[in-house]
Amino acid sequence: MTLDSRQIAAFLAIATHGSLGRAAESMHITQPALSRIVKRLEDELAAPLFERNSKGMRLTPFGEALLPRATLLQQESLRATEEIQAMRGLSKGTIRVGAIGSIASSILPLAIQQVLARWPNLRIEVVEGVWDRLADALVTHEIDIALGTQMEDSEDICAIADCRWTDTSYVVAAAGHELAQKPDLALADTLDQRWVIVPRGTAPYEDMRRMFARHGFGLPNIVVETRSIVVLKSLVINAGFLSWMPAPMYEVERKAGLIDALPIKSAHAERTLTAFRRREGLLPGPAAKLVEELRRLTASQGAGG
């Protein structure tokens, strides 16, 4: 059998709203009409997808199994239609991209600027977060490109060839921090300070851990772990915390005289950044345009950084 788009939309509307009435209203059809569509789908699948309870309708185990696949089918159908219409000049087309904080605040805006200069009708949706959030968004089709640190390909995600560049991370503090004025500052002087860092298990956390290990130290006094770049920078600027950041992430604050790297010899680490895509399927046309600009902007660093 073949699921048609109306059946998929009806199934997802009920799954989302948990109520036949609210789902029918969202689709601008009557409840009996919606009920008939879902009943036909259940008959074709020979399985009940919903069960009624006092709070409305909820998915059966069969419905739970169908939900991620129905969601994917609807997303792919919408994006295929959107891309074809964009090619015909009937709609804008959308680039859906996710990026870690340092990329979102540096090279990504430049690439977006160049894309829009060449294709002004495109729209861009940006998700910022740490890598595990971006990887999930890529697999679930929330985004089509993820920009992060280089790592091994997975079963679902692979790096995009020839789209790699580098940046360097440093121990940072507020510009007026007491350690910034200390003569002969050493990494050991930072160990008992209060630190804020992205959560353990993330690439920046592991880079920092390796940097301290290289100097013969364990981890410093990490008081706060956060995925929020806003919170991280605020604690550095306003509360005297130290942190570990790639230079592009705090470039604006450095120019404003708010955050700077501490002058500690060899307390830095270079990393390679790259673009990732889903292993299966084609890269949507609008997303390919962004990758093209990223390649152009990073070409001077070469394939390996």
Side-chain angles (χ1 to χ4, degrees):
M1 64 159 291
T2 301
L3 301 179
D4 66 48
S5 60
R6 192 167 176 80
Q7 288 175 328
I8 292 171
F11 168 75
L12 291 174
I14 298 174
T16 298
H17 294 283
S19 159
L20 198 63
R22 289 194 295 272
E25 184 178 351
S26 74
M27 295 185 67
H28 307 291
I29 61 176
T30 65
Q31 289 189 42
L34 178 58
S35 184
R36 286 194 295 272
I37 294 171
V38 173
K39 180 64 167 60
R40 192 176 306 118
L41 175 60
E42 290 179 320
D43 289 345
E44 291 177 0
L45 292 173
L49 301 175
F50 297 97
E51 59 183 28
R52 294 181 180 272
N53 58 35
S54 59
K55 295 182 179 180
M57 299 179 70
R58 70 177 184 182
L59 292 169
T60 65
F62 298 107
E64 292 283 0
L66 178 61
L67 183 59
R69 292 164 177 80
T71 301
L72 178 59
L73 285 170
Q74 186 181 63
Q75 289 173 337
E76 287 298 297
S77 176
L78 289 172
R79 291 181 187 184
T81 302
E82 180 183 72
E83 185 164 349
I84 290 171
Q85 288 181 338
M87 292 172 66
R88 296 174 59 201
L90 300 178
S91 72
K92 296 180 178 179
T94 302
I95 298 171
R96 299 174 177 89
V97 56
I100 60 174
S102 60
I103 298 175
S105 60
S106 57
I107 196 169
L108 179 58
L110 296 176
I112 288 173
Q113 179 186 33
Q114 294 302 316
V115 166
L116 293 180
R118 297 179 64 185
W119 296 282
N121 290 328
L122 289 175
R123 290 180 61 253
I124 293 104
E125 296 177 2
V126 178
V127 174
E128 180 184 343
V130 295
W131 177 250
D132 54 355
R133 162 78 174 95
L134 299 181
D136 288 343
L138 193 57
V139 171
T140 59
H141 290 242
E142 181 183 348
I143 59 176
D144 297 311
I145 310 168
L147 307 177
T149 55
Q150 184 179 20
M151 59 186 63
E152 294 295 322
D153 292 351
S154 71
E155 182 180 344
D156 302 309
I157 296 171
C158 61
I160 297 175
D162 303 323
C163 192
R164 294 193 175 107
W165 64 102
T166 61
D167 67 17
T168 304
S169 297
Y170 300 91
V171 178
V172 301
H177 196 283
E178 60 181 1
L179 289 186
Q181 314 305 321
K182 182 177 171 56
D184 300 320
L185 181 64
L187 190 61
D189 296 320
T190 72
L191 293 173
D192 294 330
Q193 296 284 322
R194 293 184 301 175
W195 280 72
V196 55
I197 188 70
V198 293
R200 65 192 65 214
T202 60
Y205 187 103
E206 292 304 312
D207 286 343
M208 185 196 72
R209 182 187 61 76
R210 285 191 290 268
M211 187 275 292
F212 272 92
R214 242 185 5 253
H215 288 78
F217 299 119
L219 287 168
N221 178 31
I222 299 173
V223 176
V224 178
E225 294 182 20
T226 178
R227 297 177 184 275
S228 169
I229 303 304
V230 172
V231 170
L232 192 150
K233 290 182 178 180
S234 181
L235 286 172
V236 170
I237 294 169
N238 300 312
F241 278 65
L242 303 186
S243 191
W244 174 256
M245 294 186 202
M249 182 183 290
Y250 64 91
E251 178 63 12
V252 171
E253 289 80 8
R254 186 192 65 79
K255 288 180 176 179
L258 298 174
I259 296 177
D260 207 349
L262 289 174
I264 306 172
K265 186 177 180 181
S266 301
H268 61 269
E270 189 176 88
R271 62 181 184 170
T272 300
L273 305 164
T274 190
F276 293 85
R277 53 164 293 178
R278 286 182 294 277
R279 186 180 291 277
E280 299 297 328
L282 298 174
L283 187 65
K289 291 176 171 60
L290 181 65
V291 171
E292 179 184 336
E293 290 304 319
L294 285 167
R295 282 198 183 104
R296 189 184 65 78
L297 287 169
T298 60
S300 62
Q301 292 196 24

